[in-house]
Amino acid sequence: MNEALTIDGLTVDFGGFKAVDGFTTVVQKGELRVILGPNGAGKTTLMDLVSGKTASTQGSVHLFGENITNRPEHIIARHGIGRKFQIPSVFRDLTVRQNLEVAASGEPGVFRNLRLHMVAEDRARVEDVIAMTRLEPVLDTVAGELSHGQMQWLELGMLITQQAKVILLDEPTAGMTHAETFRTAEIINEMKGSHTILVVEHDMAFVRKIAERITVMQMGKLLAEGPMEKIETDPKVREAYLGS
Ligand code: ADP
């Protein structure tokens, strides 16, 4: 099964206004897909529909062939959709390492006996994520004291250690410095191939650094889809989004 996320004719009707309107796309396993589009295009609503925060009125979402359409949000999370919001949800009083161990053990809140819950495979995953997110220097720092960027990387790392099958990232570089944005691109590039990621992002310089395949939305619909070079030169996209 190479189709990780299959979105078919997805629609939500908010009292006559369709914020997402017959949207269809397929994200392959290991793919990094960027969703672009002007403000109000329906990108966040699309993420809400996929993650179960909002119920759709038509269409379907399948995760590795399993129908997850309109299942409750916590059930969808359990199926393996991991969503990272702009405001991170980490345990602020735990250290970076403890946060990663909580995520790896799959028992948030049971942190005292954490190591007892972790099998060798979990430990290996935590070490891999530490290397990937460059969090080594702050492993013993409590999460509440991290910089904005480190906090974002920790949350991303927690989704990986939780073994999310598809990771949804909503503007991962919002509020980041130039250096933090650069590092985030490096981390995401390292995740390519081994993780399936759907990113909503506005920062075009960042998108150019990470993008493989891009989906452009406009008024809830799919406007264009393809590699960056094709999207950037597409007259429809230039008119709708790039403003020229
Ligand atoms: P984007 O993330 O692309 O900026 P959004 O998904 O946030 O776009 O919003 C798409 C449109 O749907 C906007 O016009 C927004 O006002 C509208 N919208 C979003 N959520 C609701 C809701 N719960 N009820 C009514 N309209 C909504």
Side-chain angles (χ1 to χ4, degrees):
M1 167 64 66
N2 278 331
E3 289 188 6
L5 194 63
T6 310
I7 302 173
D8 188 16
L10 203 59
T11 301
V12 63
D13 191 329
F14 293 126
F17 172 74
K18 291 177 178 167
V20 173
D21 188 3
F23 183 85
T24 296
T25 195
V26 177
V27 181
Q28 302 292 332
K29 186 177 182 197
E31 186 181 341
L32 169 72
R33 176 73 61 84
V34 175
I35 309 268
L36 285 180
N39 265 339
K43 304 179 297 293
T44 304
T45 307
L46 176 68
M47 297 287 218
D48 290 346
L49 294 173
V50 170
S51 64
K53 188 175 172 207
T54 300
S56 58
T57 43
Q58 253 186 308
S60 63
V61 183
H62 285 77
L63 180 67
F64 288 97
E66 189 159 359
N67 192 345
I68 57 164
T69 318
N70 293 351
R71 306 293 313 274
E73 198 170 11
H74 69 282
I75 299 288
I76 290 182
R78 235 177 271 167
H79 274 287
I81 298 265
R83 184 170 184 183
K84 197 191 129 353
F85 291 92
Q86 285 176 39
I87 299 164
S89 50
V90 301
F91 298 96
R92 297 180 67 87
D93 297 332
L94 299 187
T95 67
V96 167
R97 180 181 279 285
Q98 284 168 333
N99 267 283
L100 291 170
E101 289 176 349
V102 166
S105 73
E107 292 189 62
V110 190
F111 57 89
R112 261 194 210 107
N113 292 323
L114 254 190
R115 289 178 166 275
L116 298 179
H117 292 267
M118 282 172 62
V119 296
E121 203 182 282
D122 297 332
R123 288 172 210 278
R125 220 166 45 247
V126 167
E127 296 311 317
D128 284 351
V129 166
I130 290 167
M132 190 187 282
T133 52
R134 282 70 157 170
L135 288 169
E136 183 84 47
V138 288
L139 276 184
D140 297 321
T141 303
V142 292
E145 288 175 10
L146 294 177
S147 70
H148 174 73
Q150 288 165 336
M151 188 91 92
Q152 307 293 320
W153 303 326
L154 173 58
E155 203 194 6
L156 182 56
M158 288 170 75
L159 291 178
I160 301 171
T161 48
Q162 270 171 341
Q163 294 184 290
K165 291 181 186 151
V166 173
I167 295 178
L168 310 180
L169 302 177
D170 208 344
E171 296 189 37
T173 67
M176 283 193 178
T177 63
H178 184 72
E180 287 172 334
T181 299
F182 186 80
R183 182 164 279 198
T184 303
E186 283 183 339
I187 294 170
I188 289 181
N189 280 326
E190 259 180 61
M191 292 170 67
K192 272 184 190 168
S194 52
H195 298 87
T196 310
I197 313 168
L198 198 59
V199 189
V200 168
E201 184 57 67
H202 291 289
D203 178 342
M204 285 305 288
F206 174 74
V207 170
R208 280 193 195 92
K209 282 197 193 84
I210 61 164
E212 291 175 338
R213 205 170 165 78
I214 294 187
T215 296
V216 186
M217 287 183 83
Q218 187 189 30
M219 295 196 283
K221 293 184 159 72
L222 186 132
L223 181 70
E225 195 165 275
M228 186 72 185
E229 316 80 71
K230 186 177 153 228
I231 292 298
E232 275 193 306
T233 54
D234 185 326
K236 286 195 305 277
V237 176
R238 295 187 76 89
E239 193 183 326
Y241 182 63
L242 301 170
S244 56

